[in-house]
Amino acid sequence: MNKPVFALLCLCCTSAFAQGNSGDSLSIDLEMQGSFSNSKTPLWLNANKHGLGSLSSDNGYLRAMGVYEKSFNEDTYGLTVGLDMAVASNYKTSGYKNSYRSHLIIQQAYLEGRYKMGVVTIGAKYQSMELLNDDLSSGAQTFGINARPIPQVRVGLSDYWGIPLTRNWLSFKGHLAYGVMTDGAWEESFAKGSEHKFNRNTRYHQKAGYFRIGNTEKFPLTFTIGLEMAAQFGGHVYNWSGNSQDTTVVAYDVALSSSPRSYFNAFVGSGSDNGESKFKNAEGNLLGSWVARLNWNDDNIEVGAYVDHFFEDHSALFFLDYDGYGGKDNNEKLDSRFFRYDFKDALVGLDFKLKNFSYVNQAVVEYMNTRYQSGPVYHDHNQTLATHICGNDQYYNNMIFPGWQHWGQVIGNPLYTSPVYNTDGYIGVENNRFKAWHFAVAGDPFDGFHYRAKLSWQKGWGTYDNPFLYPKDNTSILLEAMYRFADDSHLAGTSVNFAYGADFGSLLGNNSGVQLTVKYTIR
């Protein structure tokens, strides 16, 4: 028997045995999906699915997911174990002259412990977006749901904790995590023979903190503001030499620091990488978002307005750069002078939930602009020019690391064109300067039936370093309907999901296709 299929069957049998011998919470999902397209898989049939997708015209998978939960001491303590595996067909991604095939995919595997609101997670697990609608939004710019989860150790709060002496009018939620990216073999295969870099064993760090003003038990209006930050650091960076097909030949091998000091630098955003001059930024690839949401939530409606401002370094983080250099080599801090950057780049949106109207009960409208990036000029002060202007932030790209991606899919918002679309072996985002509109609606018009629809339009200019000769545009649509055949308890049953997606334009090409998903759930 094929080893991946045997492993999947073992998971199903193990889950069934656990269900029959425990009174604790156990959920099992068995899923089958097939996608069929005339060219590449359309954007919204592939994106925002935690990386479980392929651009191949015909692809599919068999999947088994099991989650076991046990509570102690009247739910004060808790333990959760999750395993999510898929056997995939035609999940390949083309690089310069090669492709990497994924057969057995361990999508999630984690152990989670809980004490009251405190949670410790070890492994790879899906995490929802904090301030956006997972089903309808185009996606958060830093912590999105577009790429495969990264194995990590994560400590955080499961809900907002009321700060003492504020009577729950001020609360806080946050998390801190370190992990290792798992796509080194994919990167090597994708970049092979292209003279582009690839990385192995890249370390990963993320953290976030959110303050919420408002007490929902007293008044339905709240305001949340937060900071999300991440860093890629450590591991090794390689570069293929010419068109060599010999996997042992590389132009260079740079070992990046993975010392305890590097973990600290990733946390505070300090340090520098090997080979940097006196103009040091920070060790690794530092990035993040300022986020905020104003929310009204009563018995009939929930309405939220939100903003997500992305930054790649300190210039867009603080909107300021020190510019008072002078002295013999223009490297001394002499004057209290700063360069101010404009607030031009952001994702802004509005979402609705109508609680007593089933035909259309959710809607999202978003606008996104990423064209500014602190301006087109990157310049550090030097002996002949004291002016210090550090723009050209190159969102989702980095000089040392392949950028904000995992297994070829951007970790943030998929309107940034993911590396899996590249045909030259470059593991980076070739279109990060764009403006876009995104619309989505969903509803449950009758029992068991759910639908959603998405429409996205964007116009891209490429990057500052490699602009398109002419701007490229793209329109992507999704029409999806799901019907669930539930048993009397509504805890188990079969669901059938049918989706149609299409892309039109010069950015992603003209693609159209359908996707069928059948899922059986046991609770």
Side-chain angles (χ1 to χ4, degrees):
M1 181 181 292
N2 184 278
K3 289 183 179 180
V5 175
F6 177 75
L8 192 63
L9 290 175
C10 287
L11 173 63
C12 298
C13 294
T14 302
S15 300
F17 176 81
Q19 184 196 28
N21 290 273
S22 173
D24 299 304
S25 172
L26 174 69
S27 64
I28 303 169
D29 293 307
L30 305 177
E31 185 175 286
M32 176 178 65
Q33 182 179 101
S35 298
F36 311 94
S37 306
N38 67 337
S39 184
K40 295 188 290 287
T41 301
L43 176 69
W44 292 123
L45 294 183
N46 172 68
N48 281 350
K49 296 189 175 183
H50 298 277
L52 192 57
S54 171
L55 293 185
S56 299
S57 59
D58 302 315
N59 64 81
Y61 62 74
L62 296 174
R63 183 181 184 187
M65 299 162 279
V67 178
Y68 172 73
E69 296 181 85
K70 186 174 181 64
S71 297
F72 306 89
N73 192 21
E74 297 181 350
D75 207 32
T76 302
Y77 303 88
L79 181 67
T80 303
V81 180
L83 183 59
D84 178 1
M85 301 169 64
V87 176
S89 173
N90 214 17
Y91 266 45
K92 63 181 180 180
T93 50
S94 298
Y96 181 58
K97 294 182 179 180
N98 315 278
S99 64
Y100 184 93
R101 293 179 180 269
S102 297
H103 294 298
L104 177 62
I105 300 172
I106 301 177
Q107 186 72 357
Q108 299 181 83
Y110 61 90
L111 174 66
E112 188 169 84
R114 172 178 54 83
Y115 174 67
K116 295 184 178 179
M117 285 194 299
V119 178
V120 178
T121 307
I122 302 174
K125 181 189 178 185
Y126 288 174
Q127 302 290 346
S128 296
M129 296 184 290
E130 183 62 33
L131 301 181
L132 306 183
N133 185 314
D134 277 19
D135 290 331
L136 300 184
S137 172
S138 65
Q141 294 195 82
T142 299
F143 300 141
I145 57 173
N146 188 57
R148 287 193 198 176
I150 298 169
Q152 58 192 265
V153 177
R154 173 180 169 129
V155 180
L157 297 172
S158 62
D159 203 352
Y160 283 85
W161 167 70
I163 296 176
L165 305 180
T166 67
R167 297 183 179 181
N168 290 326
W169 284 94
L170 180 62
S171 53
F172 173 81
K173 183 180 181 182
H175 71 265
L176 172 69
Y178 285 94
V180 179
M181 307 186 82
T182 61
D183 64 344
W186 174 87
E187 290 190 20
E188 180 177 345
S189 175
F190 190 87
K192 187 175 182 180
S194 67
E195 296 190 310
H196 286 298
K197 66 179 182 292
F198 66 92
N199 291 49
R200 280 186 173 273
N201 301 316
T202 300
R203 272 53 169 184
Y204 174 83
H205 166 64
Q206 73 172 66
K207 56 183 172 287
Y210 311 90
F211 285 96
R212 187 177 69 186
I213 302 171
N215 185 337
T216 55
E217 296 180 356
K218 302 292 185 180
F219 193 69
L221 183 66
T222 59
F223 176 70
T224 303
I225 187 169
L227 178 61
E228 301 174 341
M229 294 188 69
Q232 296 165 293
F233 66 101
H236 284 71
V237 55
Y238 303 87
N239 201 92
W240 284 111
S241 177
N243 292 323
S244 171
Q245 298 300 298
D246 183 351
T247 58
T248 64
V249 178
V250 293
Y252 61 84
D253 172 3
V254 178
L256 301 173
S257 174
S258 301
S259 67
R261 178 69 184 183
S262 295
Y263 281 77
F264 176 77
N265 287 340
F267 177 73
V268 300
S270 63
S272 61
D273 288 303
N274 293 341
E276 283 194 317
S277 65
K278 62 182 178 181
F279 307 116
K280 299 175 181 179
N281 188 356
E283 183 173 353
N285 181 26
L286 172 72
L287 53 92
S289 289
W290 286 105
V291 295
R293 180 182 177 98
L294 183 65
N295 201 72
W296 177 276
N297 188 5
D298 61 27
D299 294 337
N300 299 310
I301 188 173
E302 181 177 359
V303 182
Y306 50 88
V307 61
D308 178 338
H309 166 71
F310 183 75
F311 56 85
E312 271 284 352
D313 55 26
H314 297 96
S315 61
L317 169 61
F318 298 113
F319 303 101
L320 288 174
D321 237 333
Y322 183 78
D323 193 30
Y325 294 97
K328 183 178 179 180
D329 60 355
N330 283 326
N331 198 40
E332 299 178 38
K333 293 185 176 181
L334 299 180
D335 300 321
S336 295
R337 188 172 73 244
F338 294 86
F339 186 89
R340 181 182 64 82
Y341 300 93
D342 293 330
F343 180 79
K344 292 183 177 180
D345 289 347
L347 181 155
V348 293
L350 190 66
D351 61 22
F352 306 84
K353 290 183 180 179
L354 305 175
K355 301 178 181 180
N356 299 314
F357 187 72
S358 60
Y359 291 95
V360 180
N361 52 28
Q362 296 184 75
V364 164
V365 179
E366 293 178 341
Y367 173 75
M368 191 171 174
N369 181 64
T370 67
R371 290 174 292 170
Y372 179 53
Q373 301 189 24
S374 301
V377 178
Y378 181 83
H379 173 71
D380 284 305
H381 56 281
N382 55 41
Q383 292 184 355
T384 58
L385 186 62
T387 304
H388 183 86
I389 302 173
C390 288
N392 196 2
D393 289 339
Q394 283 291 354
Y395 292 171
Y396 285 28
N397 290 327
N398 187 264
M399 292 183 62
I400 297 176
F401 296 89
W404 197 229
Q405 67 84 41
H406 195 219
W407 289 88
Q409 297 279 10
V410 297
I411 299 174
N413 188 294
L415 295 180
Y416 292 88
T417 308
S418 289
V420 290
Y421 286 92
N422 300 343
T423 58
D424 59 356
Y426 172 56
I427 308 175
V429 175
E430 295 185 342
N431 177 53
N432 62 17
R433 297 186 62 241
F434 61 88
K435 63 179 180 179
W437 283 95
H438 175 77
F439 308 90
V441 295
D444 302 89
F446 53 87
D447 191 33
F449 182 79
H450 175 78
Y451 76 88
R452 64 173 178 165
K454 293 182 178 182
L455 171 64
S456 303
W457 172 86
Q458 70 177 128
K459 185 175 183 178
W461 282 261
T463 68
Y464 273 132
D465 288 347
N466 294 289
F468 296 148
L469 183 61
Y470 300 100
K472 298 181 180 182
D473 60 15
N474 178 75
T475 300
S476 294
I477 64 172
L478 171 72
L479 301 174
E480 184 180 68
M482 186 269 286
Y483 188 77
R484 186 168 184 266
F485 304 87
D487 66 3
D488 293 338
S489 66
H490 293 278
L491 297 177
T494 301
S495 64
V496 178
N497 187 304
F498 180 81
Y500 168 79
D503 303 323
F504 308 96
S506 55
L507 186 59
L508 301 183
N510 295 317
N511 314 299
S512 63
V514 296
Q515 189 173 84
L516 178 65
T517 308
V518 180
K519 182 176 180 179
Y520 180 68
T521 301
I522 303 172
R523 295 286 187 265

